[in-house]
Amino acid sequence: MTTNADSIVLPAHLHPSDGRFGSGPSKVRPEAVSALAVRATDYLGTSHRQATVRDVVRRARDGLAEMFSLPDGYEVLLGNGGSTAFWDAASFGLVERKSQHVVIGEFSSKCAGVMKSAPHLEDPDVIETAPGEVPRPNSADPSIDSYCFPHNETSTGVMCNVVRPSGANGLVMVDATSGAGGLRVDPSQFDVYYFAPQKCFAGDGGLWLALVSPAAVERIERIHATKRWIPASLDLATALEQSRLNQTYNTPALATVFMLAHQAEWMNANGGLEWCARRCDESAAIIYRWADEHKLAHPFVAQSARSHVTATIDFDDSVDALAVARVLRRNGILDVDSYRKLGRNQLRVAMFPAIEPNDIKILTEAIDFILEELL
Ligand SMILES: *Cc1c(COP(=O)(O)O)cnc(C)c1O
């Protein structure tokens, strides 16, 4: 008998310990919020130019340098505006003349669009494939000075390897917004690895972070020294100078900075990037094994490129994935809807380090329960 979706109630054992599975903003650990509350009167609402706040910025920067085992000469930069603002900053301060983009979904497409619309840059070289596939950058064109690709394309759940294209002279600039902190990476393979705290770092948005190599620092300084017009708030040379002082050019969200430092320390205390990546591997193994064996579901992405931080699961036509997401939401399991613009009969599930692998298991059981009731 088909049950009315509105009347489906999940039994208690199918409630995860935390119902947040969104791909960003994503689950914030309650411990981070409690730790912030303790600093309600001596940190929040105080000057970002004073030692109290700068010390938290320093903890965040040191925590990231430790987690990624940054080699000598690599630096941690930060600024306001999230990864989207970083694209704009990169169009002014990192791309010299021409970039190449691997476009495999909405976010990598937006990054390419920024460079394409910049009047001072040549049209970028775009390597695009259908959603779900992964092309590789190629270094055949010597005029390319910046190679751009995502570590994890969040809109489709496709993961790329961070590897320098062989023979490339340009900078390798990786959009790691949703991959950083959950996927393994070797810093020698990138020049710029940028992200924001609302994904694997279980924090809030509005800030960008960039791990930069000595070659990227040299590029930033060299472009700054030319007469190219750069809007002040997007000037990476200013971000470089301010970051070294554990500050930002203009006022940051202090809560965001605090939660980032807290999460980075939590990740490092547990065993660093390798521990985080193993936790994501474990969650990914649970959800993909479930989907592979399912009569009504299957992973959207081919095995070799399946993301270990954002899973995309397609459903049979007999299932209305949106209706499933609605029932889950009514039962306190949030934000597993597919990426709107992808337009597939799909659920998307974040598996960031803060998310308990056992909660992923319970989520799959909750979906099975709902499917039985609906069909
Ligand atoms: C979320 C996301 C962005 C956008 O980040 P904002 O901080 O919202 O600007 C960019 N790229 C990828 C891969 C993302 O997942």
Side-chain angles (χ1 to χ4, degrees):
M1 192 194 82
T2 304
T3 317
N4 182 334
D6 291 339
S7 64
I8 299 175
V9 177
L10 287 176
H13 72 282
L14 296 183
H15 285 277
S17 69
D18 196 297
R20 292 169 294 175
F21 295 97
S23 297
S26 66
K27 174 183 172 185
V28 174
R29 292 174 55 253
E31 293 83 347
V33 179
S34 305
L36 177 62
V38 171
R39 305 296 305 275
T41 57
D42 74 333
Y43 170 80
L44 288 179
T46 71
S47 169
H48 61 300
R49 305 290 176 211
Q50 295 297 326
T52 309
V53 172
R54 287 168 65 184
D55 188 55
V56 176
V57 174
R58 181 194 54 71
R59 280 170 44 201
R61 292 179 68 237
D62 289 354
L64 294 172
E66 178 186 336
M67 177 179 313
F68 290 97
S69 311
L70 291 186
D72 279 354
Y74 277 61
E75 301 192 46
V76 180
L77 309 191
L78 73 166
N80 288 318
S83 292
T84 302
F86 189 79
W87 290 329
D88 293 329
S91 77
F92 285 105
L94 277 164
V95 179
E96 199 146 13
R97 281 185 15 187
K98 185 174 179 180
S99 52
Q100 181 186 81
H101 300 260
V102 165
V103 171
I104 53 173
E106 188 63 18
F107 292 108
S108 41
S109 163
K110 278 188 175 164
C111 177
V114 166
M115 306 311 164
K116 188 167 164 50
S117 64
H120 57 281
L121 300 177
E122 289 177 28
D123 270 359
D125 179 22
V126 175
I127 303 173
E128 187 163 11
T129 53
E133 294 168 30
V134 218
R136 307 253 316 129
N138 79 71
S139 54
D141 178 352
S143 71
I144 306 265
D145 59 65
S146 307
Y147 294 87
C148 305
F149 56 90
H151 197 174
N152 183 68
E153 174 51 72
T154 323
S155 65
T156 56
V158 168
M159 167 168 99
C160 301
N161 286 327
V162 176
V163 183
R164 270 181 206 282
S166 61
N169 282 320
L171 300 180
V172 173
M173 306 209 295
V174 182
D175 179 353
T177 309
S178 59
L183 303 178
R184 294 168 187 83
V185 71
D186 170 3
S188 71
Q189 299 298 317
F190 64 71
D191 295 295
V192 182
Y193 189 76
Y194 61 91
F195 52 94
Q198 74 274 22
K199 306 203 178 174
C200 288
F201 288 93
D204 230 337
L207 195 70
W208 59 256
L209 287 304
L211 315 179
V212 295
S213 73
V217 170
E218 188 272 337
R219 176 78 65 87
I220 289 168
E221 287 173 338
R222 185 153 44 78
I223 291 180
H224 180 80
T226 67
K227 290 287 157 247
R228 177 183 287 181
W229 175 70
I230 301 180
S233 69
L234 296 173
D235 191 337
L236 291 173
T238 304
L240 182 65
E241 185 186 309
Q242 292 294 318
S243 299
R244 285 170 175 167
L245 298 170
N246 295 315
Q247 301 187 115
T248 46
Y249 175 61
N250 65 318
T251 316
L254 299 192
T256 301
V257 172
F258 184 92
M259 289 192 288
L260 170 64
H262 194 271
Q263 178 71 0
E265 286 170 357
W266 177 75
M267 291 159 118
N268 285 334
N270 277 297
L273 186 58
E274 181 53 35
W275 177 81
C276 294
R278 261 193 268 122
R279 217 164 133 84
C280 298
D281 293 345
E282 189 183 340
S283 292
I286 292 167
I287 202 163
Y288 293 128
R289 195 181 319 119
W290 167 78
D292 273 329
E293 290 170 359
H294 210 283
K295 284 201 291 291
L296 298 170
H298 57 273
F300 169 50
V301 179
Q303 189 153 15
S304 60
R306 274 176 208 168
S307 170
H308 287 197
V309 282
T310 49
T312 45
I313 307 297
D314 275 349
F315 285 85
D316 189 85
D317 285 347
S318 62
V319 173
D320 177 355
L322 271 177
V324 174
R326 264 197 309 277
V327 176
L328 288 166
R329 176 173 296 279
R330 254 198 319 96
N331 283 275
I333 297 179
L334 308 176
D335 300 335
V336 296
D337 317 58
S338 72
Y339 191 79
R340 293 161 282 119
K341 288 192 191 158
L342 192 58
R344 296 186 71 88
N345 191 34
Q346 182 174 92
L347 295 180
R348 182 179 59 154
V349 177
M351 306 175 289
F352 298 140
I355 293 169
E356 297 296 330
N358 191 53
D359 279 349
I360 297 286
K361 180 161 180 293
I362 293 171
L363 169 64
T364 61
E365 292 163 0
I367 294 171
D368 282 339
F369 179 91
I370 293 166
L371 292 178
E372 289 231 333
E373 294 283 309
L374 281 176
L375 296 176

